[in-house]
Each structure stands twice: as C-alpha cells, then as structure tokens.
Amino acid sequence: MEFIEIKNCYKIYKNGVTALADGNLTISKGEFVFLIGPTASGKSTLLKLLYREEKPNKGEVHVGNIDISKLRNSKVYKLRRKIGIVFQDFKLLPKLTVYENVAYPLESYGMRSKEIKDFVLKALERVGLKDKYRSYPHELSGGEQQRVCIARAIVNEPKLIICDEPTGNLDPDTSKEIMDVLVKINEELGTTIVMATHDKEIVNRLKKRVITIKNGVIVSDKKKGKYDNEADKNI
Amino acid sequence: MKLIRIFNRSIRDSFKSIFRNFSLSVASISCTVITLILVSLAILATENVTNMTEKIEHDLTMVVFVDSKASTEELKNIENELKAINNIDTITFRSKDEIKNNMSSENEAFKNIMDSWNEDENPLQSTYILKVKNIKEIKETAATIKNIDKVTLVKYGETMVDKMINTFDIIKKCCWVIVLALVLVTIFLITNTIKITIFSRRNEIGIMRLVGTSNSVIKLPYLFEGLLLGAFGSLIPILITIFGYTYFYEAMGGVIFSNLVELTKPSSIIFTTSLALFIIGAVVGMFASLRAVRKYLKI
C-alpha cells in the first residue's frame, strides 16, 4: 500500500456543496506534491481529509496504513502526532514565545525537557530562526512567523507535512525563502510534502508533481507539471 | 514519569495563563469573591438562627408533679421509670420539704403558715424537673410520664411550645433554602465568567488539537486554572468570614438585642464556613472550566 491512498472519496458539506467527488489519489513516501486549482475548488477539503479535520461521506482515506476516515474524534491526536501541518494564517499560540510554540507539541506528548530542547533547537536551526527563540509571534514578520510554523510542523520529525497555501500571505521573496526551507526538508529528511497553492511562479520553478482539482474533481495529475493557466478557471 | 511531567507542565501552564490573561482572570476571581461573600453571610446567619433556636429548645423544661402521699419507695420507682424513657436528658428531683423550705425563706407570710405544718401534713407536691433531648417528641414523652403511677400532673407550656417548634422549623428551612439558592447562583455566575475566559481562547484549543495534543492533556491545564481561579476567589470571602465575624461578635458583645439571644461563638463556625467556601469555589471553578473546554474539543 502506498503512503497516502484516497479511494472513491466523496465529501459533501451540509450546505450542499460538493467539495470532493469520487476522489482517487496515491502519493508515495518522499514525494513533493502541489495541489492547485481555483478558490473553492476543494483543495483545502482534500487536505483536511488528510489530517482528519473533515471525515469523508463515502470512501476511504489511508495515511501510513491507518484508515483515518474511521478514526474517532478522541483518537485523532494519534494521527496528528505523525504529521506536521503548515497553515496560511500560521496558527501560532499568541501568548507563547517562539521556543514555547515549537516545544508545545512535544511537551504535550510528555517528552523529557532536555530532549525537547534538542528537538526544538534543531528545528529552529533548520528554518533559520535559532536567534529569535525568545520572541513572541507578534514581534516577527510574516515570513518569520511562517518559519516558526514550519519548525513546529517538523519538530516531531513527521513523515508527512501538509501545507495549506503557506505562501498565501507572503511577498514573492519571502515565499521563495519559505519554499527553499520546505524543499530542503523534503530532500534532506525525505519527508513527504503535500502543498496546496495558488502561486504560479513557485509551481513552475520547482517542477514537482502537480495535481489540479476543479469543482471537487481531480482533473489532472502530472509529474514535473507546470501551472496550467486553465487551472484558475472553474468549469 | 511521563504522566508526572504532563501533570507538572499543566500546573505550570495554568499559572502562566492566569497571568497572561490577567484581566479575564481578575474578572472571574472578582465574580467569585462577590458571590461567595453572599454565600458566607447566608451560612453565618443560618448557623446563628439554628443555634439560637436549638438553645431555646434545649432550655425548655418539663415539670412532673407527684402525689404528696407518695412514699419514698414509690418516689424511687418513679425515678427509675423516668430514667428508662429514652427522650429524657436530665432529671432533677425536688422533694416537697425542699420546696417548702425554699418558699418559706422567700416570704415571711409563707413562713408563718408553713411552719405550722408538720411532716405528714405538707400539702405541697414533690417534683421532677426534666429536660428532653428531642423537643419534637415532647408530647409523647409527656403522655408516657403521665401514665406512671402516682404522677398527678405534667406541665411544659403545651400550646406555646407547639407553636414555637413550628415557627422555628419554618425559619430554619427558609434559611437553608436561601443558602442553597445563593450557592446555585454562585455556580451559575462562576460557570459563565469562566466560560467567557475560555471562549476567548477557543482558537488556542483548536491549535492544540491540530498539533496532536490529546484531549485529556488539553483539558488538564484548564482544570487547574478553574480550580485556581475558584480557590483564589474564595480567599477574600474566607478572610471576611474569619475576621469580619469575629469583629462583629466582639462588637456586639456576643448577643443581639438582649442577653436572651446569644450569637454563636466565632471559633465554632468560622472554620467550617471557610472550608465550605473554599470547596464551593474550587470545585465549581474546576467543573465550570472543564465544561467550557469540552465544547471546543470537537474539531
């Protein structure tokens, strides 16, 4: 079985919107996958199915041999400990410092403080923020906050990182820096990365696998793909 | 080890978030302070009323008159039978000679008449003065005593006592209803303020879930935080109870209006009341906070 498998998956929201219709997808370990499509096409829903914020109405979602469509609410944390998530709006805890934000997941797993320190400093070093570990999120720029978010996502050394438009709020230069960090993590640690994005430049420059989704339907899946200009138009 | 670490970190985090969300913490603490002061006043008042009524009830005496012809043997018999009755607390015997001597020493006129009586002619009746344990059964007890041989009369101010028992009962019940109502209001108010405190942090809870924190580990610091807020909130009411009531007691000289109505001694109630306030504060705070968090754990 592949690392990620989505089989005949349907997701219809309560308001009648079909966010995913008969979705089939496999992603193997170590891949870097872009997920593109116009707004409201179902990119975010597909990602949410992967980290079990949403359950499919029909079909199966397997991540690392667990059928997460059957995972109970109170057991979801077991899945989330094995994946890292990077958000467009960072989702940092505003009252905690950079160090505390990155350490938070490990602390809540009950890890020893000394070990936590090693992991956190390693993660912060990887994203180039080691000297800002004492700052609070509001004291950092957008790019720096996003790097803290990435550090938090990789601190428990997950096999999969899910990014939901991580560069959506950032200028082109900062976006490039963030992508460099992510590509480095993918190449050096072999972490699988699934990233939803709107950014043509990034997709065209990196030449990775590109999956296009429109109106909840996966319309194309290309190795070394480019950002198709048609992808931005619904229908 | 792992559990102890999580436990310690939860306590540390709860202190941190109390200080980092200072204004909201102050809001919930002051709400707790105000309501618990009311609860404290109500408990103290109720304790006093209960004590006063019990004291008055306890002071009530029953007088048993014995036939003046009764022999020593028969008197002994009566005393044994009285002792056998469960509801009787103390028995004081006053012989007819004792009463005669008392009366003659009180009044010259009595003395002149009484001195003319000899031993057998004394028409006065020996009495037993009784105190009962349970005033509510006084009627039945009186009836039992009346059936004893040679007992002529049992007096305890029947109609007055009946009314008194009823009134006291109603007052006591009213007081406890007020205390209960205030405790309920306290629970409601504390629950709501803590809910608001946690509502402002629902995003935080969402993020914790997303980074893989289990529900019980998310709940733990909130549980301690609620407990701490409630406990802190009970401190001022406890101080007011201890020092305020002691001061009030001293200032009034231990009585209200006249020496008839004694206040309850501070030492016998302030500590139990304080303990009650602390427990109400801490437990209500804890459960309020747990209930509020549970709502945001369903992401």
Side-chain angles (χ1 to χ4, degrees), chain B residues 169-183:
Chain B
D169 242 24
I170 292 168
I171 293 174
K172 270 190 248 174
K173 273 178 192 152
C174 284
C175 284
W176 284 118
V177 167
I178 291 171
V179 170
L180 202 73
L182 276 172
V183 171

Side-chain angles (χ1 to χ4, degrees), chain A residues 167 171-181 201-202 205:
Chain A
T167 59
D171 61 71
D173 285 345
T174 321
S175 299
K176 193 173 170 291
E177 281 174 33
I178 295 294
M179 289 318 297
D180 289 346
V181 172
E201 213 176 299
I202 289 175
R205 186 168 59 90

Side-chain angles (χ1 to χ4, degrees), chain B residues 12-170:
Chain B
R12 181 200 67 193
D13 286 349
S14 61
F15 273 101
K16 260 191 206 166
S17 61
I18 284 177
F19 288 107
R20 284 176 180 175
N21 301 286
F22 193 71
S23 52
L24 279 168
S25 308
V26 170
S28 4
I29 290 175
S30 36
C31 164
T32 317
V33 167
I34 292 163
T35 44
L36 284 184
I37 286 175
L38 290 177
V39 172
S40 157
L41 290 179
I43 293 180
L44 289 175
T46 309
E47 283 287 343
N48 266 296
V49 168
T50 314
N51 259 339
M52 280 172 201
T53 54
E54 263 165 22
K55 206 164 166 67
I56 292 171
E57 283 176 4
H58 195 76
D59 280 347
L60 210 79
T61 50
M62 195 193 306
V63 188
V64 177
F65 293 89
V66 184
D67 194 329
S68 52
K69 301 275 183 314
S71 64
T72 352
E73 195 78 347
E74 282 165 328
L75 282 172
K76 191 131 200 139
N77 216 19
I78 294 173
E79 196 168 335
N80 283 338
E81 285 200 46
L82 286 176
K83 274 182 188 158
I85 299 175
N86 259 335
N87 195 26
I88 289 171
D89 195 15
T90 57
I91 304 172
T92 322
F93 176 67
R94 294 175 81 198
S95 71
K96 53 187 184 181
D97 295 328
E98 214 180 314
I99 298 171
K100 181 183 141 191
N101 293 339
N102 270 350
M103 286 174 87
S104 11
S105 62
E106 266 171 32
N107 193 310
E108 273 299 305
F110 282 163
K111 187 175 162 57
N112 287 335
I113 303 168
M114 287 174 173
D115 278 348
S116 65
W117 300 341
N118 64 33
E119 190 82 358
D120 297 327
E121 279 172 332
N122 186 348
L124 293 172
Q125 299 181 320
S126 300
T127 57
Y128 288 96
I129 295 161
L130 309 177
K131 286 200 173 171
V132 290
K133 285 176 191 157
N134 185 356
I135 192 134
K136 281 181 185 144
E137 286 166 22
I138 199 165
K139 231 178 197 166
E140 291 78 23
T141 312
T144 326
I145 295 170
K146 199 137 192 217
N147 285 334
I148 300 173
D149 197 29
K150 293 288 176 192
V151 168
T152 54
L153 203 57
V154 181
K155 278 272 163 207
Y156 64 91
E158 293 86 341
T159 47
M160 205 275 282
V161 168
D162 278 352
K163 270 186 196 160
M164 194 180 78
I165 293 173
N166 277 335
T167 324
F168 282 180
D169 242 24
I170 292 168

Side-chain angles (χ1 to χ4, degrees), chain A residues 4-13 17-26 41-42 45-52 54-63 66-70 213-218:
Chain A
I4 297 176
E5 277 196 36
I6 298 180
K7 278 188 208 159
N8 309 325
C9 226
Y10 285 83
K11 177 68 198 176
I12 300 153
Y13 285 108
V17 173
T18 307
L20 188 66
D22 198 16
N24 283 291
L25 189 63
T26 53
S41 58
T45 301
L46 191 62
L47 294 184
K48 280 177 182 170
L49 289 171
L50 288 180
Y51 63 82
R52 179 49 183 75
E54 296 290 349
K55 270 183 177 178
N57 301 87
K58 227 176 101 184
E60 289 170 28
V61 181
H62 292 269
V63 175
I66 319 172
D67 184 358
I68 62 172
S69 53
K70 292 200 178 89
I213 183 164
K214 273 187 191 180
N215 282 335
V217 182
I218 297 169

Side-chain angles (χ1 to χ4, degrees), chain B residues 205-224:
Chain B
I205 298 171
I207 296 170
M208 291 172 186
R209 293 258 310 159
L210 285 172
V211 299
T213 310
S214 67
N215 286 356
S216 42
V217 177
I218 296 177
K219 277 188 221 161
L220 216 51
Y222 285 98
L223 186 139
F224 287 123

